[in-house]
Amino acid sequence: MVENVHFLPNDPPETIGRKLLRCNLSDLAAMGARPEGWLLTLARPQNLEDEWFEGFCKGLKEDQKLFSLSLLGGDTTSTKGPLVLSLTIIGSVLPGQAITRTGAQAGDGLWVTGTIGDGALGLRALQGHLSDPSGYLSARYRLPQPRVGAPLYGLASAAMDISDGLLQDAEHLARQNDLGVEIFSAEVPLSAAARHCGPQWLETCLTGGDDYELLFSVPPEHEADLEHTGSLGTVLGQVPVTRIGRFHSDYKGVRVLQAGGTPLTFQKKGWSHI
Amino acid sequence: MVENVHFLPNDPPETIGRKLLRCNLSDLAAMGARPEGWLLTLARPQNLEDEWFEGFCKGLKEDQKLFSLSLLGGDTTSTKGPLVLSLTIIGSVLPGQAITRTGAQAGDGLWVTGTIGDGALGLRALQGHLSDPSGYLSARYRLPQPRVGAPLYGLASAAMDISDGLLQDAEHLARQNDLGVEIFSAEVPLSAAARHCGPQWLETCLTGGDDYELLFSVPPEHEADLEHTGSLGTVLGQVPVTRIGRFHSDYKGVRVLQAGGTPLTFQKKGWSHI
């Protein structure tokens, strides 16, 4: 993460480090892996204040405890440029139990954890483009909730986490499996705060990114159980899961359909067609 | 490693990545660990040319083969500041066989691999402060020879690699063991190229850094064997080893003695006394 690219100098230091750590945890969660430890390297500008650094470390310390991690190493160096933070996370998974991005079959359902779009709306709220009276959306942007511990093995045929936007990442997942995927926009779970923003923000929710939710394919034989329980256990508690679409073999890429079956078109290029 | 701090924009890209990797390998070597894989993260300025990047990758690829490593992951991001390179290396060592910086006893010998000061002299040569007709010194600065595979377990009581300069690092080793260490400057192994620079460069050799040789303590019962063979096997071949001093319990820190026993004094502050 680079200052002025991934965060701003006036962002709260407590959440910058936590977000970096949590984005990494989300990657592990998507593979069904258990985090073991992390390494942190900083290129630190000389004018960075100790107070900033203390807040940064305090936030990381909290998350280290929350997720039962050990700091294994790293390095600190000086730079005349912006602050650069590099974090490596190491996790483990039993042999043969890692979930990858390939393995989805035509007919599998496409499922997500949690709600989609909160992070993207939170960023817009912090930029002053929409109101966020409860602060829920900006909190979701600043502090992702990685779904560490979600028991994907034996359930999901393929998985990834959503960081670049639901549609972009669903497109990646479909293409890596040489499949198409149909997404029903009315099924995409939105938080109360996101719904409150109004339908004009739906496109932002679907394409905006910063979700750090899990996106995974589930073979039909496992879907009834999942539908019944409606949630998965994670180290931070139960998280709801929702089927939002299905994989097909007769086309490649992503189709988004509204309730009733008409294709959804987007202002932003690239999402109006397959 | 940060551009303009640890390397210059006109340094050959082939060696920049290799040096970063090799500095990390040297850390593993000092623990008696075997390298398994590495992760690389780059914060890349937009004006960085593809040609530079190709050379950078080519160098790393060569070293990956040379040291039998796998690239396990990493990330690339953009920055408006200088190029920042962050490399994490992962190694393994059998339980209980890792060599740490503590464990040295009074009476242990202080030993080094290879020759000392070449890297520091190489940097001065590249800066135009001395001549390096063969290019040996600048090559040693740009391309450290990490002593991966040196069989320290069962031989060394404590070890580290020399990156900040022999005297500084010997000071660290002594203090972490709550001991003093006496170094005989005439015993410190210098390359032919370093000796050719003349005695006025001895201080640079002893304090300059960028050696990436191993510095280790050896209990007296293992010293006769080591003296007899005079070298250790590494993945890049045999490397000579030399005893340069001995640990003591009656003072803390580093003493440097010339042949004859008179203390060596230094122009640079901090090395004229304990």
Side-chain angles (χ1 to χ4, degrees):
Chain A
M1 280 181 25
V2 180
E3 190 179 355
N4 293 319
V5 178
H6 302 97
F7 62 91
L8 298 172
N10 61 351
D11 282 344
E14 287 78 6
T15 58
I16 290 172
R18 295 177 86 176
K19 181 162 184 176
L20 178 60
L21 179 58
R22 287 172 175 225
C23 295
N24 278 273
L25 286 168
S26 183
D27 267 330
L28 283 187
M31 298 195 76
R34 169 201 166 105
E36 302 284 350
W38 55 295
L39 301 99
L40 180 65
T41 297
L42 294 99
R44 182 181 173 170
Q46 291 191 328
N47 64 0
L48 188 75
E49 285 169 20
D50 285 347
E51 201 184 330
W52 187 97
F53 203 65
E54 280 163 24
F56 175 80
C57 293
K58 190 167 161 256
L60 281 168
K61 199 175 167 187
E62 277 176 44
D63 266 7
Q64 169 160 285
K65 198 174 164 193
L66 194 60
F67 294 99
S68 309
L69 307 174
S70 301
L71 179 61
L72 302 175
D75 200 5
T76 304
T77 185
S78 65
T79 177
K80 283 164 192 161
L83 175 63
V84 179
L85 307 168
S86 172
L87 194 147
T88 300
I89 198 152
I90 297 174
S92 63
V93 60
L94 289 175
Q97 298 199 1
I99 310 297
T100 69
R101 292 185 178 195
T102 56
Q105 303 275 342
D108 288 0
L110 179 68
W111 292 69
V112 293
T113 57
T115 54
I116 299 301
D118 299 323
L121 296 175
L123 173 60
R124 298 334 180 258
L126 288 166
Q127 291 170 334
H129 300 311
L130 61 83
S131 87
D132 178 25
S134 69
Y136 177 84
L137 299 171
S138 60
R140 286 272 285 164
Y141 171 73
R142 285 183 164 154
L143 213 55
Q145 304 293 314
R147 304 311 185 181
V148 180
L152 296 181
Y153 178 70
L155 170 69
S157 48
M160 63 186 295
D161 73 326
I162 310 173
S163 55
D164 295 340
L166 172 64
L167 298 193
Q168 289 91 321
D169 288 330
E171 168 103 21
H172 289 144
L173 199 58
R175 292 203 184 271
Q176 288 192 21
N177 288 281
D178 205 27
L179 293 172
V181 70
E182 199 165 49
I183 292 179
F184 309 106
S185 61
E187 304 294 324
V188 175
L190 302 180
S191 66
R195 283 196 304 273
H196 194 260
C197 295
Q200 72 275 25
W201 289 98
L202 179 63
E203 182 174 336
T204 300
C205 289
L206 298 181
T207 62
D210 271 302
D211 293 293
Y212 300 104
E213 295 291 352
L214 301 181
L215 180 69
F216 55 106
S217 56
V218 179
E221 62 268 29
H222 296 314
E223 289 197 281
D225 272 1
L226 197 55
E227 227 156 330
H228 181 69
T229 57
S231 70
L232 289 176
T234 75
V235 300
L236 299 185
Q238 289 291 123
V239 58
V241 292
T242 310
R243 183 177 58 222
I244 61 167
R246 196 162 293 284
F247 287 89
H248 296 275
S249 58
D250 50 343
Y251 60 93
K252 313 278 180 242
V254 173
R255 268 183 199 164
V256 187
L257 300 179
Q258 293 173 280
T262 41
L264 190 64
T265 54
F266 293 93
Q267 295 182 337
K268 192 178 159 190
K269 268 204 154 185
W271 297 112
S272 54
H273 64 286
I274 296 167
Chain B
M1 279 181 26
V2 180
E3 190 179 354
N4 294 318
V5 178
H6 302 97
F7 61 92
L8 296 172
N10 60 351
D11 282 345
E14 288 78 7
T15 58
I16 290 172
R18 295 177 86 175
K19 181 162 183 177
L20 178 59
L21 179 58
R22 287 171 176 225
C23 295
N24 278 273
L25 286 168
S26 183
D27 267 330
L28 283 186
M31 298 194 77
R34 169 200 166 105
E36 301 284 351
W38 55 296
L39 301 101
L40 179 66
T41 296
L42 294 98
R44 181 180 173 170
Q46 290 191 329
N47 63 0
L48 188 75
E49 285 170 18
D50 285 346
E51 201 185 330
W52 187 96
F53 203 66
E54 278 162 24
F56 175 79
C57 292
K58 190 167 162 259
L60 281 169
K61 199 175 168 185
E62 277 176 44
D63 266 6
Q64 169 161 285
K65 199 175 163 192
L66 194 59
F67 293 100
S68 309
L69 306 175
S70 300
L71 179 61
L72 302 177
D75 200 5
T76 305
T77 187
S78 66
T79 177
K80 284 164 191 161
L83 175 63
V84 179
L85 307 169
S86 172
L87 193 148
T88 300
I89 198 152
I90 296 174
S92 63
V93 61
L94 289 175
Q97 297 199 3
I99 309 297
T100 68
R101 293 186 177 193
T102 56
Q105 304 273 343
D108 287 1
L110 179 69
W111 291 70
V112 293
T113 56
T115 54
I116 299 300
D118 299 324
L121 295 176
L123 173 61
R124 290 353 175 245
L126 288 167
Q127 291 170 334
H129 301 310
L130 61 83
S131 86
D132 177 26
S134 69
Y136 177 83
L137 299 172
S138 60
R140 286 272 286 164
Y141 171 73
R142 285 183 164 154
L143 214 53
Q145 304 293 314
R147 304 311 183 180
V148 180
L152 296 181
Y153 177 69
L155 170 69
S157 49
M160 64 186 295
D161 73 326
I162 309 173
S163 56
D164 294 339
L166 172 63
L167 298 193
Q168 288 91 322
D169 287 330
E171 168 102 23
H172 288 145
L173 199 58
R175 293 204 182 270
Q176 287 191 24
N177 288 283
D178 205 27
L179 294 171
V181 70
E182 199 166 50
I183 292 178
F184 309 108
S185 61
E187 305 294 326
V188 174
L190 302 180
S191 66
R195 283 195 305 273
H196 194 260
C197 295
Q200 72 275 28
W201 288 98
L202 179 62
E203 182 173 336
T204 300
C205 289
L206 299 182
T207 62
D210 271 302
D211 293 293
Y212 300 103
E213 295 291 352
L214 301 181
L215 181 69
F216 54 107
S217 56
V218 179
E221 62 268 30
H222 296 314
E223 290 196 280
D225 271 1
L226 197 54
E227 226 156 331
H228 181 69
T229 57
S231 69
L232 289 176
T234 75
V235 301
L236 299 185
Q238 289 290 123
V239 58
V241 292
T242 311
R243 183 176 55 220
I244 61 166
R246 197 163 293 284
F247 286 89
H248 296 274
S249 57
D250 50 343
Y251 61 94
K252 313 281 180 239
V254 173
R255 269 184 198 164
V256 186
L257 300 179
Q258 293 174 280
T262 41
L264 191 64
T265 55
F266 293 93
Q267 294 182 338
K268 191 179 160 188
K269 269 205 154 182
W271 296 111
S272 55
H273 63 286
I274 296 167

